[in-house]
């Protein structure tokens, strides 16, 4: 898997491994590469978890449906993001989310059970991989805290402002935000009604806060949007 090594030898999970050790790690974790077409389901909510995945190419959506049937997009991930690692470390073997390929995608799959095994045989650098995993989980915990803060906002406007202002943090954005969602997907991501969100966006445009066309937003008053983002 030399092509995989060229992509992932500097990834956080495999940091500190040379090429020989990387190959040994792939064998130890029973690594396989799988291809997915657009709209393919990688994993359904409630399904048994058997693998941890690393995205090599493409875009994967992570979503869930609540008891009332409402769909919530948790995030979209692409190279070199991982999925399933938090569940492995928590020793959870049933998926709470659904994974869907939004584009043609290629994913490196690693054996879930090799991470949760208390006595992993035959791979001397297993402890390093586990240590690297802890660092990845710390970063993901920060993301989840930010996600929870966003969803805890009580108004659609506050959620929109929070999301857009955070997206503005990208260097060189110059008050322009290009989001990866259409209107329906954005509503699902924010956990709001699509029609209510569209009305709120129109009001914000009329008030001179922003302009938008499809998935591109221009924040005309970032300071005001920042203030609104900090409201609940």
């Amino acid at each position: 898997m030399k092509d995989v090594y060229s992509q992932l030898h500097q990834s956080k999970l495999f940091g500190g491994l040379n090429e020989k050790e990387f190959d040994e790690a792939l064998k130890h974790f029973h690594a396989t590469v799988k291809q997915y077409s657009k709209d393919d389901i990688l994993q359904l909510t409630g399904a048994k978890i058997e693998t941890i995945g690393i995205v090599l190419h493409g875009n994967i959506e992570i979503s869930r449906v609540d008891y009332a049937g409402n769909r919530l997009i948790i995030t979209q991930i692409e190279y070199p993001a991982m999925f399933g690692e938090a569940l492995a470390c928590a020793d959870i073997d049933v998926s709470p989310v659904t994974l869907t390929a939004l584009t043609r995608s290629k994913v490196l799959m690693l054996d879930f059970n090799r991470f949760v095994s208390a006595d992993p045989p035959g791979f001397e650098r297993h402890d390093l991989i586990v240590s690297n995993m802890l660092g990845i989980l710390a970063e993901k915990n920060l993301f989840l805290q930010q996600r929870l803060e966003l969803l805890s906002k009580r108004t659609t406007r506050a959620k929109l402002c929070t999301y857009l202002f955070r997206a503005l943090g990208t260097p060189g954005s110059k008050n322009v935000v290009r989001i990866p969602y259409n209107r329906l997907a954005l509503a699902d991501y924010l956990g709001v009604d699509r029609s209510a969100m569209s009305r709120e966006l129109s009001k914000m445009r009329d008030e001179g806060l922003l302009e938008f066309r499809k998935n591109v937003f221009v924040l005309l008053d970032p300071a005001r949007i920042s203030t609104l983002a900090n409201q609940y």
Side-chain angles (χ1 to χ4, degrees), residues 132-189:
N132 291 342
M133 179 74 81
L134 291 175
I136 293 170
L137 289 173
E139 292 181 0
K140 183 155 288 189
N141 182 58
L142 177 61
F143 163 77
L144 292 174
Q145 288 180 16
Q146 293 176 337
R147 190 79 179 89
L148 181 60
E149 179 189 355
L150 173 63
L151 293 175
S152 69
K153 302 289 184 179
R154 294 183 180 179
T155 68
T156 298
R157 176 172 292 211
K159 289 182 178 182
L160 282 166
C161 289
T162 300
Y163 175 73
L164 292 172
F165 191 75
R166 284 179 180 169
L168 189 63
T170 305
S173 57
K174 297 181 179 178
N175 293 358
V176 177
V177 175
R178 184 183 298 272
I179 69 173
Y181 305 113
N182 59 28
R183 289 290 182 273
L184 178 59
L186 178 59
D188 287 343
Y189 182 80

Side-chain angles (χ1 to χ4, degrees), residues 99-151:
L99 305 175
T100 307
L102 298 180
T103 63
R104 291 187 63 184
S105 302
K106 182 166 67 172
V107 179
L108 178 71
M109 295 296 193
L110 307 172
D111 188 346
F112 174 89
N113 291 314
R114 288 284 178 158
F115 282 89
V116 300
S117 174
D119 184 25
F123 181 53
E124 294 181 355
R125 305 307 302 274
H126 185 90
D127 287 347
L128 176 62
I129 295 291
V130 172
S131 177
N132 291 342
M133 179 74 81
L134 291 175
I136 293 170
L137 289 173
E139 292 181 0
K140 183 155 288 189
N141 182 58
L142 177 61
F143 163 77
L144 292 174
Q145 288 180 16
Q146 293 176 337
R147 190 79 179 89
L148 181 60
E149 179 189 355
L150 173 63
L151 293 175

Side-chain angles (χ1 to χ4, degrees), residues 6 9 18-19 48 62 75 81 96 122 130 135 142 148 163 168 181 207 209 230:
S6 66
H9 74 284
N18 58 37
E19 186 170 1
K48 183 176 176 59
I62 303 177
T75 191
V130 172
L142 177 61
L148 181 60
Y163 175 73
L168 189 63
Y181 305 113
E207 294 171 19
L209 290 172
N230 289 319

